[in-house]
Amino acid sequence: MNPTPTRPDLAAVPLATADQLRQRLRRHGKLKGRQPEDEALREVRECIGPKPAEGHRRDLLIEHLHRLNDRFGALREHHLVALSRELNVPMAEVFEVATFYHHFEVVARDAAVPALTVRVCDGLPCELAGARDLLERLPALLGTEVRVIAAPCIGRCEQAPAVAVHQAAVPLATVEKVVQRVRGGGGASAPAPTAVVPFEPADLAGRSVSPPRDQAEAIPACTDYAAYRAAGGYALPAALAAGRLDAEAVLRAMEDSGLRGLGGAGFPAGRKWRIVREQPAPRLFAVNIDEGEPGTFKDRTYLERDPHRFLEGLLVAAQVVGTEAVYIYLRDEYHDARALLEQELVRLAADPPCPLPRIELRRGAGAYICGEESAMIESIEGKRGEPRMRPPYIAQVGLFGRPTLEHNFETLYWVRDIVERGPRWFASFGRNGRSGLRSFSVSGRVKEPGVKLAPAGITLRELVDEYCGGMQEGHELHAYLPGGASGGILPASLADLPLDFDTLQPHGCFIGSAAVIVLGHRDRARDAALNVMRFFEHESCGQCTPCRVGTAKAATLMQAPAWDASTLEDLAQVMADASICGLGQAAPNPIRCVQQYFPHEIS
């Protein structure tokens, strides 16, 4: 093509000088709104590291917020502006993520922040054990520089009342213990355990996994990488990688065992593997250890004693399903367990038994809703933890738009034993027509709370009498929550129902993650229902109106001496029918159970 001929009658008119064009480009190259300060940029870069050639990853936003929060004690606005620039993410987006999670606090540049925060768990088991007294007495004893706040369940219900002094857990807390911790060791988390002991969960079938209450520790002894390998650990993923073990054989073992998801939903694990395996590559893997259901602490109990049995199950699942990357989402309250897991992942990577997928450990930020699988995926992607509408399901469109296998921690914990011992071993346990093993997190008015590895289908009465030493002195069985805050409340007259999937639904309850909270005759079911409804109100993500407004209205109505039954039932129906996810859908369960089984308490 010939160039356009030059017309001598048209003169060139300059639109700007070279310097003016450079200034214009600089202006357009900046984010709109507030511009970052040089000092703030320097401090942010020190926290999150230098920018890679391809730029910082957007999905690491929450990890970066944690680093800033840990260093400065809060999220200061000028640091958020600088982080927005570094990640090339709009400030509004950074701010909305930072303000979504309970463990982040956004403050002005020069705002004073407490030197230390003491979190007193006000979940139902801790409230029964005297948490309210701690909340009332500690502020005056600790002074104005220490902030004392109520916190939702921190996952230490067998050690109630439980307190966290910054990142350090104080089990079986008393006023004296907390004051001593604040004045002595401060809030620094204790180091990872140095004592190495073997741990065989299968040997504990029919027994208590947790030690006696008077031997409870914040950081128990555990099995490290060397000890686990020496005892035959990681033989399964090594055999799969070498072709000595067939993936189809592992799949059949999982299906024949009858193992179901142990995070609450109860979907058959082997079937889930097969579904995701059939999806197009690349496939991803997300592991849920955001154990936020009040009354649940089984995952923490296993993790802090033997992280490698879980990691071996993870590697087996990753190879069988064919996932190229694994994201482990661990709740922020489990500081010590995170330190242990980080340490053992380093050891695993230094001497791998087989080729490893990319494994990333992600840190939650205090949001119960992220226990819902799609909300967890949103959080892993660095967003607000809001549940997704379904379909599509995450097995088809999950993390970063890819087919995703999602599992609870404990489900993976049993993979090694099921494959090595055979599926019949796992299925051989059971009572009352049920099969398999269940890890019951038992708390409340029992003599010996803790994780009890019992046969599926055991009744509440059998569980308390055979595994928990009976009821506490001076307490008679009045009621129990079979599945944590969302599982409903049953009276003592129904204590002989089998505790398993599908057995409690006809009575308005479900087993969920098997978080059993036991109430005595001096407790009131209506008070327990109000406690969990306040929890739901606090933890609602706010995305849908039925849940956001319904939980708040219900909590207000439930404080009345006599309940407005018709209005509460209207609220319950709307929440159950119109909420996006299980939080709002299950929130009415305690209301309806109290109305059905304990009408004398609310009339």
XYZ file of all heavy atoms in Angstrom, residues 210-266:
395
model
N -8.927 -37.219 72.952
C -8.454 -36.148 73.825
C -8.017 -36.714 75.173
O -8.588 -37.700 75.656
C -9.562 -35.112 74.047
O -9.996 -34.562 72.827
N -7.009 -36.098 75.795
C -6.597 -36.543 77.135
C -7.621 -36.133 78.175
O -8.532 -35.345 77.882
C -5.268 -35.797 77.325
C -5.432 -34.536 76.538
C -6.240 -34.931 75.331
N -7.491 -36.613 79.396
C -8.371 -36.139 80.468
C -8.290 -34.623 80.590
O -7.262 -34.011 80.281
C -7.819 -36.841 81.710
C -7.135 -38.062 81.179
C -6.575 -37.676 79.850
N -9.355 -34.041 81.080
C -9.463 -32.585 81.136
C -8.327 -31.944 81.917
O -7.810 -30.899 81.533
C -10.817 -32.214 81.741
C -11.110 -30.721 81.796
C -12.539 -30.491 82.249
N -12.790 -29.112 82.625
C -13.102 -28.144 81.761
N -13.179 -28.416 80.474
N -13.333 -26.909 82.182
N -7.894 -32.584 83.013
C -6.835 -31.979 83.823
C -5.458 -32.091 83.181
O -4.485 -31.574 83.703
C -6.814 -32.592 85.230
C -6.577 -34.101 85.200
O -6.433 -34.677 84.100
O -6.536 -34.714 86.293
N -5.371 -32.766 82.011
C -4.107 -32.865 81.281
C -4.141 -32.091 79.961
O -3.265 -32.260 79.114
C -3.780 -34.334 81.004
C -3.588 -35.181 82.247
C -3.343 -36.649 81.927
O -2.898 -37.001 80.833
N -3.657 -37.518 82.884
N -5.140 -31.246 79.806
C -5.284 -30.485 78.561
C -4.096 -29.552 78.369
O -3.632 -28.907 79.310
C -6.573 -29.685 78.583
N -3.598 -29.489 77.121
C -2.467 -28.634 76.784
C -2.823 -27.777 75.572
O -3.548 -28.220 74.679
C -1.236 -29.469 76.445
C -0.702 -30.328 77.572
C 0.483 -31.165 77.107
O 0.260 -32.205 76.472
O 1.638 -30.751 77.372
N -2.259 -26.579 75.525
C -2.443 -25.742 74.342
C -1.700 -26.325 73.155
O -2.155 -26.252 72.009
C -1.964 -24.321 74.619
N -0.523 -26.928 73.424
C 0.293 -27.514 72.354
C 0.741 -28.909 72.787
O 1.716 -29.047 73.526
C 1.532 -26.650 72.042
C 1.124 -25.202 71.798
C 2.269 -27.192 70.826
C 2.286 -24.287 71.539
N 0.057 -29.949 72.368
C 0.446 -31.308 72.765
C 1.623 -31.829 71.940
O 1.982 -31.256 70.905
C -0.807 -32.117 72.487
C -1.474 -31.397 71.363
C -1.174 -29.933 71.569
N 2.215 -32.904 72.397
C 3.262 -33.574 71.629
C 2.673 -34.132 70.342
O 1.475 -34.416 70.258
C 3.877 -34.688 72.461
N 3.518 -34.290 69.329
C 3.002 -34.730 68.026
C 4.000 -35.627 67.316
O 5.124 -35.845 67.778
C 2.681 -33.515 67.161
S 4.154 -32.701 66.512
N 3.577 -36.128 66.155
C 4.434 -36.925 65.275
C 5.018 -36.020 64.203
O 4.271 -35.352 63.491
C 3.620 -38.051 64.617
O 3.144 -38.937 65.623
C 4.471 -38.827 63.630
N 6.350 -36.009 64.082
C 6.964 -35.168 63.051
C 7.233 -35.987 61.792
O 6.924 -37.188 61.720
C 8.227 -34.488 63.577
C 9.370 -35.463 63.834
O 9.198 -36.688 63.594
O 10.440 -35.014 64.290
N 7.830 -35.340 60.788
C 8.002 -35.980 59.481
C 8.882 -37.222 59.559
O 8.540 -38.281 59.010
C 8.585 -34.976 58.490
C 8.748 -35.523 57.079
C 7.633 -35.881 56.335
C 10.005 -35.677 56.509
C 7.761 -36.378 55.047
C 10.153 -36.166 55.223
C 9.026 -36.519 54.489
O 9.164 -37.013 53.220
N 9.999 -37.119 60.255
C 10.923 -38.244 60.328
C 10.270 -39.440 61.008
O 10.387 -40.587 60.542
C 12.192 -37.825 61.069
N 9.584 -39.198 62.111
C 8.943 -40.291 62.835
C 7.822 -40.910 61.999
O 7.638 -42.141 62.005
C 8.398 -39.782 64.164
N 7.090 -40.089 61.270
C 5.990 -40.603 60.459
C 6.522 -41.466 59.317
O 5.994 -42.545 59.046
C 5.167 -39.438 59.916
C 3.903 -39.858 59.206
C 2.772 -40.240 59.931
C 3.832 -39.881 57.819
C 1.609 -40.634 59.293
C 2.673 -40.270 57.166
C 1.560 -40.647 57.907
O 0.413 -41.045 57.262
N 7.576 -41.009 58.657
C 8.178 -41.806 57.574
C 8.736 -43.112 58.106
O 8.608 -44.176 57.482
C 9.288 -41.009 56.882
C 8.830 -39.892 55.964
C 8.120 -40.396 54.702
N 8.956 -41.205 53.839
C 9.728 -40.722 52.866
N 9.782 -39.407 52.669
N 10.428 -41.521 52.109
N 9.374 -43.071 59.283
C 9.974 -44.273 59.867
C 8.923 -45.326 60.195
O 9.222 -46.525 60.214
C 10.753 -43.898 61.127
N 7.690 -44.880 60.441
C 6.610 -45.808 60.773
C 5.813 -46.226 59.537
O 4.688 -46.722 59.663
C 5.686 -45.172 61.805
N 6.373 -46.024 58.350
C 5.713 -46.454 57.122
C 4.865 -45.409 56.452
O 4.150 -45.709 55.488
N 4.934 -44.173 56.931
C 4.132 -43.115 56.349
C 4.538 -42.761 54.933
O 5.696 -42.914 54.544
N 3.575 -42.316 54.152
C 3.728 -41.866 52.767
C 4.037 -43.006 51.794
O 4.453 -42.764 50.660
C 4.790 -40.770 52.646
C 4.367 -39.467 53.278
C 4.945 -39.026 54.471
C 3.371 -38.688 52.709
C 4.548 -37.837 55.068
C 2.970 -37.501 53.297
C 3.559 -37.080 54.481
O 3.156 -35.908 55.071
N 3.821 -44.249 52.225
C 4.031 -45.362 51.297
C 2.978 -45.366 50.196
O 3.270 -45.732 49.043
C 3.990 -46.682 52.064
N 1.756 -44.956 50.515
C 0.681 -44.992 49.519
C 0.917 -44.024 48.361
O 0.852 -44.431 47.187
C -0.660 -44.706 50.189
C -1.243 -45.826 51.053
C -2.545 -45.370 51.702
C -1.490 -47.068 50.209
N 1.157 -42.716 48.607
C 1.401 -41.835 47.461
C 2.655 -42.223 46.683
O 2.702 -42.042 45.457
C 1.526 -40.443 48.094
C 1.804 -40.684 49.528
C 1.131 -41.964 49.871
N 3.663 -42.775 47.377
C 4.868 -43.225 46.668
C 4.537 -44.387 45.746
O 5.015 -44.446 44.605
C 5.949 -43.625 47.677
N 3.707 -45.327 46.216
C 3.314 -46.473 45.388
C 2.455 -46.037 44.210
O 2.586 -46.569 43.089
C 2.567 -47.491 46.245
N 1.573 -45.066 44.429
C 0.759 -44.555 43.326
C 1.632 -43.907 42.261
O 1.443 -44.134 41.058
C -0.257 -43.532 43.854
C -1.573 -44.056 44.411
C -2.313 -42.954 45.151
C -2.450 -44.623 43.296
N 2.587 -43.090 42.694
C 3.453 -42.390 41.749
C 4.322 -43.360 40.960
O 4.609 -43.128 39.779
C 4.329 -41.385 42.495
N 4.720 -44.467 41.603
C 5.600 -45.442 40.936
C 4.818 -46.463 40.117
O 5.425 -47.303 39.451
C 6.453 -46.151 41.986
N 3.505 -46.425 40.181
C 2.696 -47.370 39.422
C 2.497 -48.705 40.103
O 1.960 -49.646 39.504
N 2.918 -48.836 41.354
C 2.743 -50.095 42.084
C 1.340 -50.228 42.671
O 0.941 -51.300 43.096
C 3.774 -50.214 43.219
C 5.224 -50.201 42.755
C 6.169 -50.566 43.895
N 6.038 -49.675 45.039
C 6.705 -48.545 45.178
N 7.548 -48.144 44.219
N 6.542 -47.791 46.254
N 0.620 -49.138 42.711
C -0.745 -49.122 43.221
C -1.624 -48.444 42.191
O -1.282 -47.380 41.662
C -0.806 -48.379 44.560
C -2.176 -48.253 45.225
C -2.730 -49.634 45.593
C -2.086 -47.383 46.483
N -2.764 -49.065 41.901
C -3.660 -48.564 40.870
C -4.644 -47.558 41.459
O -5.243 -47.801 42.512
C -4.415 -49.732 40.234
C -5.370 -49.268 39.147
O -4.927 -48.505 38.254
O -6.551 -49.638 39.197
N -4.812 -46.424 40.783
C -5.723 -45.389 41.268
C -7.154 -45.909 41.362
O -7.904 -45.552 42.285
C -5.661 -44.168 40.357
N -7.547 -46.768 40.440
C -8.909 -47.306 40.464
C -9.131 -48.162 41.708
O -10.223 -48.164 42.288
C -9.166 -48.123 39.202
C -10.572 -48.685 39.084
C -11.662 -47.611 39.051
O -11.407 -46.517 38.510
O -12.768 -47.884 39.558
N -8.093 -48.884 42.138
C -8.219 -49.697 43.349
C -8.438 -48.810 44.576
O -9.221 -49.150 45.473
C -6.974 -50.557 43.530
N -7.755 -47.674 44.618
C -7.942 -46.743 45.725
C -9.363 -46.176 45.698
O -10.024 -46.063 46.739
C -6.901 -45.612 45.658
C -7.164 -44.569 46.732
C -5.491 -46.168 45.806
N -9.821 -45.826 44.513
C -11.182 -45.305 44.381
C -12.216 -46.309 44.871
O -13.152 -45.960 45.595
C -11.457 -44.957 42.918
C -11.311 -43.500 42.483
C -11.516 -43.375 40.985
C -12.322 -42.624 43.225
N -12.048 -47.573 44.504
C -13.005 -48.600 44.930
C -12.975 -48.772 46.448
O -14.014 -48.972 47.084
C -12.711 -49.924 44.226
C -13.124 -49.952 42.754
C -13.198 -51.385 42.241
N -11.897 -52.055 42.361
C -10.962 -52.043 41.425
N -11.180 -51.390 40.281
N -9.820 -52.676 41.591
N -11.771 -48.707 47.028
C -11.668 -48.836 48.486
C -12.411 -47.702 49.181
O -13.111 -47.913 50.186
C -10.197 -48.857 48.905
N -12.270 -46.497 48.655
C -12.968 -45.359 49.253
C -14.484 -45.519 49.135
O -15.229 -45.245 50.082
C -12.521 -44.072 48.562
C -11.062 -43.700 48.822
S -10.761 -43.255 50.539
C -11.705 -41.748 50.657
N -14.933 -45.976 47.993
C -16.376 -46.154 47.794
C -16.918 -47.283 48.660
O -17.994 -47.164 49.267
C -16.658 -46.418 46.317
C -16.399 -45.206 45.425
C -16.449 -45.533 43.944
O -16.177 -46.693 43.571
O -16.749 -44.624 43.151
N -16.178 -48.393 48.749
C -16.649 -49.550 49.517
C -16.644 -49.288 51.020
O -17.388 -49.935 51.763
C -15.775 -50.775 49.203
C -15.939 -51.259 47.767
O -16.918 -50.839 47.110
O -15.090 -52.034 47.304
N -15.800 -48.361 51.472
C -15.730 -48.079 52.907
C -16.975 -47.359 53.413
O -17.276 -47.394 54.605
C -14.499 -47.225 53.222
O -14.671 -45.897 52.735
N -17.663 -46.667 52.516
C -18.813 -45.880 52.923
C -18.448 -44.567 53.578
O -19.310 -43.891 54.155
N -17.171 -44.165 53.479
C -16.740 -42.904 54.088
C -17.475 -41.739 53.444
O -17.493 -41.596 52.226
C -15.230 -42.729 53.924
C -14.643 -41.419 54.473
C -14.726 -41.397 55.995
C -13.177 -41.251 54.026
N -18.055 -40.902 54.287
C -18.740 -39.708 53.820
C -18.027 -38.471 54.330
O -17.267 -38.534 55.292
C -20.195 -39.718 54.287
C -20.994 -40.869 53.689
C -22.372 -41.014 54.300
N -23.239 -39.896 53.991
C -24.557 -39.894 54.207
N -25.149 -40.967 54.705
N -25.292 -38.826 53.923
N -18.248 -37.348 53.641
C -17.592 -36.115 54.040
C -17.860 -35.796 55.498
O -19.014 -35.815 55.940
N -16.810 -35.506 56.259
C -16.933 -35.325 57.702
C -16.887 -33.864 58.110
O -16.602 -33.550 59.261
C -15.833 -36.132 58.407
C -15.922 -37.649 58.173
C -14.729 -38.366 58.774
C -17.223 -38.211 58.737
N -17.169 -32.981 57.160
C -17.269 -31.569 57.494
C -18.683 -31.139 57.810
O -18.909 -30.051 58.313
N -19.645 -32.000 57.490
C -21.030 -31.674 57.794
C -22.008 -32.104 56.722
O -23.108 -32.543 57.021
N -21.624 -31.996 55.448
C -22.563 -32.300 54.367
C -22.773 -33.798 54.189
O -23.857 -34.244 53.816
C -22.085 -31.677 53.060
N -21.733 -34.602 54.418
C -21.880 -36.044 54.371
C -21.955 -36.638 52.983
O -22.476 -37.747 52.801
